[in-house]
């Protein structure tokens, strides 16, 4: 039985993102990404599209006494990033675009970009910028989700969204999964002048206490909040409950054992260097 009031839903979308989606989803990917880049003590790290800062914070523990910079377009996400304490090296939070990085060439030993590239309107330009700001012996690690069919919980959710809210309602969520093949990412990276490009297909097991929890936070803590923003609180809760029921109906029963909503989530994780 789903319970919409199981979690405290007060707070802005970036606050809810940090409180619920980061621990359940993006912290897992951040540990994997930072582990692949292996930032070392004393190095300088840039986290592009840092959101509320999970990648930057994990990297900061490894580079102490180095330095970390987190950059994002979104003021609200950065405000939450600044409010979360970090025990690692100091972190600067900068508002800016991945397409025009406000840094000198060669300024960073490590550039990281988790689950951001798919949103950039000019990915080639963003990758050129990443290469420009890396030192000649630096390392890049970035991740994007693979096709949505490879992540069954998200796939059930987008079908439910379109059925309940109308065709096209799932466009934002489907856009997160825009990369079809690892080769697309590999070609973009080599085209932008990166060498030693490796693209790994990685799976994390994601779990939420219930389908309703997953659906609520997708619709309250991400840009999908715009889909229901003109509704009254009661209408919004009713829509979320309907979408959650439909998501559960469209899910494999194995994803719903013990009332939890648990499924594999797949992403392409790439590592590269600016020159061979
Ligand atoms: C799915 S969130 C990922 C945040 C964070 N990396 C994480 O894993 O939790 C995507 C982030 O990309 C940021 N973003 C989108 N377009 C951007 C751009 N052109 N430049 C910088 N950040 C951008 C958004 O503001 C958002 O915070």
């Amino acid at each position: 039985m789903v319970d919409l009031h199981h979690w405290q839903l007060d707070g802005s979308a970036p606050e809810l993102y940090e409180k619920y989606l980061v621990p359940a989803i993006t912290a897992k990917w951040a540990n994997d990404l930072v582990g692949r880049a292996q930032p070392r003590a004393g190095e300088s790290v840039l986290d592009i599209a840092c959101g509320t800062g999970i990648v930057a914070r994990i990297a900061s523990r490894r580079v102490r006494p180095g330095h970390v910079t987190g950059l994002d377009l979104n003021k609200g996400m950065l405000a939450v990033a600044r409010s979360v304490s970090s025990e690692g090296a100091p972190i600067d939070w900068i508002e800016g675009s991945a397409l025009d990085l406000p840094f000198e060439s060669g300024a960073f030993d490590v550039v990281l970009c988790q689950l951001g590239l798919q949103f950039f309107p000019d990915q080639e330009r963003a990758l050129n910028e990443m290469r420009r700001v890396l030192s000649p012996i630096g390392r890049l690690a970035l991740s994007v989700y693979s096709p949505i069919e490879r992540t069954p919980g998200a796939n059930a959710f987008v079908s439910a969204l379109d059925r309940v809210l109308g065709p096209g309602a799932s466009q934002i969520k489907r856009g997160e999964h825009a990369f079809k093949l690892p080769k697309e990412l590999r070609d973009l990276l080599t085209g932008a002048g990166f060498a030693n490009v490796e693209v790994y297909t990685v799976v994390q097991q994601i779990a939420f206490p219930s389908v309703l929890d997953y659906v609520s936070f997708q619709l309250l803590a991400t840009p999908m909040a715009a889909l229901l923003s003109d509704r009254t609180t009661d209408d919004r809760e009713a829509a979320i409950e309907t979408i959650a029921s439909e998501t559960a109906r469209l899910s494999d029963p194995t994803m719903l054992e013990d009332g939890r909503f648990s499924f594999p989530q797949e992403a392409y994780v790439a590592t590269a260097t600016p020159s061979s």
Side-chain angles (χ1 to χ4, degrees):
M1 179 72 181
V2 289
D3 171 13
L4 189 58
H5 306 286
H6 175 74
W7 275 344
Q8 172 55 255
L9 299 187
D10 287 342
S12 66
E15 285 165 349
L16 295 172
Y17 181 92
E18 172 61 27
K19 196 166 175 189
Y20 299 112
L21 293 183
V22 169
I25 300 178
T26 71
K28 293 187 176 191
W29 292 109
N31 278 311
D32 177 86
L33 192 77
V34 174
R36 288 174 199 275
Q38 303 220 339
R40 295 182 283 264
E43 287 191 320
S44 65
V45 175
L46 173 62
D47 174 17
I48 297 175
C50 65
T52 56
I54 184 63
V55 170
R57 281 192 295 279
I58 291 173
S60 78
R61 288 183 218 133
R62 291 195 177 221
V63 300
R64 197 170 31 194
H67 190 268
V68 177
T69 302
L71 173 134
D72 201 282
L73 265 188
N74 186 301
K75 278 187 201 316
M77 296 293 257
L78 288 169
V80 173
R82 288 189 185 99
S83 74
V84 178
S85 60
S86 167
E87 290 160 8
I91 309 176
D92 277 338
W93 303 106
I94 309 270
E95 187 182 335
S97 167
L99 307 190
D100 283 299
L101 295 176
F103 309 113
E104 288 182 10
S105 299
F108 296 96
D109 301 300
V110 176
V111 168
L112 304 167
C113 181
Q114 172 163 291
L115 306 173
L117 183 68
Q118 70 276 8
F119 297 119
F120 302 162
D122 187 340
Q123 294 168 352
E124 216 177 299
R125 180 167 166 170
L127 291 173
N128 275 313
E129 279 291 84
M130 292 181 200
R131 187 174 47 76
R132 180 184 68 75
V133 302
L134 267 173
S135 104
I137 54 163
R139 288 101 68 207
L140 171 76
L142 64 79
S143 60
V144 292
Y145 288 128
S146 68
I148 200 158
E149 296 76 18
R150 305 284 307 159
T151 294
N155 201 33
F157 171 60
V158 289
S159 299
L161 266 185
D162 287 342
R163 284 171 193 228
V164 176
L165 298 182
S170 64
Q171 198 182 352
I172 297 173
K173 185 69 182 170
R174 289 182 193 276
E176 280 184 14
H177 294 260
F179 278 83
K180 296 301 166 219
L181 294 169
K183 185 176 182 312
E184 277 174 57
L185 187 54
R186 175 184 298 282
D187 289 351
L188 266 177
L189 285 161
T190 48
F194 282 99
N196 300 307
V197 176
E198 299 288 348
V199 180
Y200 305 91
T201 300
V202 183
V203 175
Q204 305 279 0
Q205 190 67 23
I206 299 301
F208 280 79
S210 70
V211 180
L212 185 57
D213 289 309
Y214 171 77
V215 169
S216 298
F217 290 103
Q218 292 295 316
L219 287 167
L220 295 170
T222 77
M224 281 181 281
L227 290 170
L228 302 175
S229 60
D230 59 352
R231 302 197 180 203
T232 63
T233 304
D234 285 353
D235 279 357
R236 188 179 308 131
E237 291 193 357
I240 288 172
E241 285 184 2
T242 306
I243 295 162
S245 300
E246 190 65 5
T247 302
R249 198 182 65 77
L250 295 169
S251 294
D252 187 288
T254 58
M255 291 155 56
L256 302 166
E257 278 165 9
D258 307 323
R260 296 190 332 145
F261 192 42
S262 177
F263 53 88
Q265 186 177 55
E266 189 181 88
Y268 300 139
V269 184
T271 56
T273 61
S275 54
S276 44

